[in-house]
Structure formats: structure tokens, C-alpha cells
Amino acid sequence: MQVRTVGLCALGLFIAAPVHATKLAGEFMAPGGGARALGMGGAFAAVAADASAVFWNPAGIAGMEKRQILAMHAEQFGDLLNYNFASYVHPSGLLDEARKPAFGFALIHLGDPDQLLTSQYRSVDDDSDGQIDYLVDENGNVVDYDAIPRESNNSFAGLGTFALETSAGSVGGTLKLIYQDFIAGESSMGIGIDLGFLRRGFLTENLAVGAKLADATGTYISWSTGTNEFIVPSLKLGSAYRIDSESLNGSVLLAVDADFFFDDRQIASQFWSETVSADLRLGLELSFQEKVMLRGGLDAENPTAGAGLYFGVFGLDYAYLHHDAFDSTHRVSLLASF
């Protein structure tokens, strides 16, 4: 009770603070990691059952009995963006073993490849229709499109997590470092903190509730151009219920998350009122003998699907995201426990 009360009071202070949010700042981290979680629409705050919990809910790594390593690659919106996620969780005996402490680390990378460097060329619009017809160099020669140099925009986030169990539930915290390197020499750095809470066996044995307060103290991102961005706190609340099924010789897992934002996203989210907005995430997982999984969900208004195959210490997961405005996104991750 004390943990939840303190968390709610802190959230109230952050929301009331007179800060100027930068809309969608740090959004490159939003997809998260792990094809299992993403196949369930990202409804994972109260599940947080593998190494991807370093992102979804840092409290989830407490109590993990084995070390885990997870690696995921995604082709975002076709081949428009390259997205990579890797995480590692290590149960620790450095503190009271009864509290089942654990450390975790994760790396997020988003690459925007093949950006044309055209600043050294002059654009020409022959028919004055507002569209660039071709580029010319300083001598007036038409530039071959294939000869234009290209670079990539790259964004990175490194996460370091610690979590342990308490009488009220598991609690965890994450320190994240942000670095972005864009074309034309622009770069930025930032630092932030995420906090997490997870209670398994809440009211009934099969019910779990979880919460993640991202950017708990606000996160500043400082650019080499002299401009700054500010990420205000956001709140992720989730619940999950597991139904054991003899007919399936497995289980059914139902999960729902609500993500709340306070940076004036308005129509960029499903629901909004003035500066507060929210997205709903729904997830379903059918497990057969804990070896074969089928998944589906909703990531806001975008349907997701996925599957998993677990054999020995390895797990292979796939997730699909449909988006009306862009090409579909495919994610594949590999999990190892040892």
C-alpha cells in the first residue's frame, strides 16, 4: 500500500509541474522489445515474464530463476526503418536472496537508412509545380540520383535495471541513456529514469497487476544544435489473467494495458482530452504444453498477431503488426535461458 501511495503522489507532482513537454520526444523507444510482448499488442506490463521486462516493466525481472538473453530484429513498416532490441537479465545473490533481486540491461537501436545528402546540391523545378525535377551541382551539371551520397540516422537507448521483491509486490527501477546521431552532424544525448511495480497473485492466484512510470523525473534531451527536448512522465497500467485449460493441455493468458501520456498528443492517440491522451493495448496468448504459443492483440487501433516455439532452453517468437497507413511490420526474437 505504501509503495502505491508514494507512486501516485509522485505522479501527481509530475503532472502538476510547470514543464514544457516536447510532443513525441524519444518516440523511437516506443515499440519496445520481444516478439512475444509485441504479438500481444504490447499489453505486457502485468505479464513481464521474460528478459524484455527490462523495457515493459522493470519490476518484472525480480524473481527470475535463470539468466536470460533476448535479441530481436524488426523491419518497421516494410523496410522503411530498422529496429533492434537486445536485453539480458541476471538473478543476483548480492543482496537478501529472499527478495530475489536481479539486474537487467537492454539496448534499443532505431536506424533510418539511406538518407540522401542533398545540401551541397541545388534543386530545380522546371515546370514550377512545386515538385523537384532534378538536382544540379555547383557547376550546373545534373546529378545522377544513384551518385548522391547517403547516410543513416541512428538512435540508441541503453537501459540498466535493478529489481527485487517486497511484501507489497516487486519493484524496479531503470536508468536509461539516450544518444541520437543524425545526418549533417546533428546529435543529442539524454538521461532518464523509469520505475516499475508488479504484483502477481493479486486478489486471486492467476491475476497480476503492473505499472510503469516512464521518465519518472522527466527526461531532457540536449541537441548539438543548442535546442532541447523534454520528455514528461508517462504511465502504463496493466493487468493480466491466466486461465489453465486441461482441454488445451496448456493455458490462456488475457492482458490489457492502458498507456497514459501528458505531452499534448491529441489525435496521435486513441483517446485524448486537452493535454492528456491514452492508448489501449489488448493481448491474448494460447499456450499448448508451454511449448507452442499463438498470440493476438491490439496495439492501439492496429491489430497484431504472433506465434512462439519453445524447445529446451531456447524460444523463437514472431510478431506481426498491421498498419493502415504504412506497410506491415515483422518482428522476430530469440530467447535463451541458462
Side-chain angles (χ1 to χ4, degrees):
M1 179 62 69
Q2 286 182 324
V3 173
R4 283 177 283 181
T5 301
V6 171
L8 290 173
C9 291
L11 176 62
L13 290 174
F14 294 136
I15 296 173
V19 296
H20 299 284
T22 306
K23 188 184 296 186
L24 301 177
E27 191 67 7
F28 77 92
M29 297 176 284
R36 180 189 180 191
L38 294 168
M40 296 176 64
F44 216 64
V47 181
D50 58 34
S52 69
V54 173
F55 173 84
W56 296 106
N57 186 349
I61 69 173
M64 286 191 178
E65 298 180 354
K66 296 182 178 180
R67 292 170 290 177
Q68 285 192 356
I69 186 169
L70 182 150
M72 185 193 83
H73 176 71
E75 298 290 334
Q76 293 281 102
F77 311 125
D79 59 356
L80 184 63
L81 299 170
N82 292 323
Y83 185 86
N84 300 290
F85 178 92
S87 59
Y88 171 74
V89 172
H90 187 97
S92 173
L94 295 178
L95 300 177
D96 184 0
E97 292 188 4
R99 294 187 178 275
K100 301 180 180 179
F103 293 93
F105 305 92
L107 178 65
I108 298 173
H109 166 249
L110 177 69
D112 184 5
D114 296 332
Q115 296 298 303
L116 298 176
L117 299 179
T118 61
S119 58
Q120 69 273 40
Y121 304 122
R122 180 170 58 88
S123 59
V124 178
D125 179 10
D126 277 338
D127 49 11
S128 301
D129 62 353
Q131 302 293 323
I132 298 175
D133 295 317
Y134 54 88
L135 300 173
V136 296
D137 60 22
E138 58 184 5
N139 297 319
N141 299 316
V142 176
V143 178
D144 182 3
Y145 178 83
D146 293 331
I148 299 175
R150 302 165 185 258
E151 286 189 5
S152 297
N153 294 327
N154 290 287
S155 299
F156 299 90
L159 287 67
T161 298
F162 176 74
L164 50 77
E165 293 184 353
T166 71
S167 59
S170 299
V171 294
T174 295
L175 175 68
K176 59 186 178 185
L177 303 176
I178 300 169
Y179 176 73
Q180 299 177 86
D181 181 19
F182 285 3
I183 60 176
E186 297 180 8
S187 62
S188 71
M189 297 188 68
I191 185 170
I193 295 174
D194 297 343
L195 301 176
F197 172 80
L198 179 62
R199 176 68 180 270
R200 305 188 195 275
F202 179 69
L203 300 180
T204 67
E205 181 181 356
N206 293 340
L207 179 64
V209 293
K212 172 189 171 184
L213 182 60
D215 304 290
T217 59
T219 297
Y220 279 97
I221 300 178
S222 178
W223 285 87
S224 59
T225 57
T227 61
N228 295 304
E229 295 178 327
F230 184 76
I231 308 175
V232 299
S234 61
L235 181 64
K236 184 179 185 67
L237 300 176
S239 63
Y241 190 80
R242 178 188 176 101
I243 304 170
D244 295 317
S245 172
E246 292 184 1
S247 60
L248 292 176
N249 194 15
S251 62
V252 179
L253 180 62
L254 305 170
V256 56
D257 281 15
D259 297 347
F260 296 91
F261 308 98
F262 311 97
D263 56 356
D264 194 25
R265 298 190 176 201
Q266 297 189 10
I267 61 173
S269 292
Q270 274 183 297
F271 313 100
W272 64 276
S273 175
E274 297 182 351
T275 60
V276 180
S277 58
D279 286 329
L280 189 65
R281 298 171 181 263
L282 303 175
L284 168 69
E285 178 182 73
L286 304 179
S287 173
F288 304 91
Q289 299 182 340
E290 301 299 326
K291 295 183 181 299
V292 178
M293 283 80 172
L294 298 177
R295 306 182 182 104
L298 281 175
D299 180 351
E301 297 177 347
N302 302 309
T304 65
L309 178 63
Y310 290 73
F311 43 96
V313 299
F314 296 103
L316 179 65
D317 293 293
Y318 166 77
Y320 168 86
L321 169 69
H322 174 80
H323 199 289
D324 289 335
F326 301 98
D327 289 339
S328 300
T329 294
H330 302 273
R331 293 125 166 186
V332 177
S333 65
L334 179 66
L335 176 71
S337 303
F338 53 97

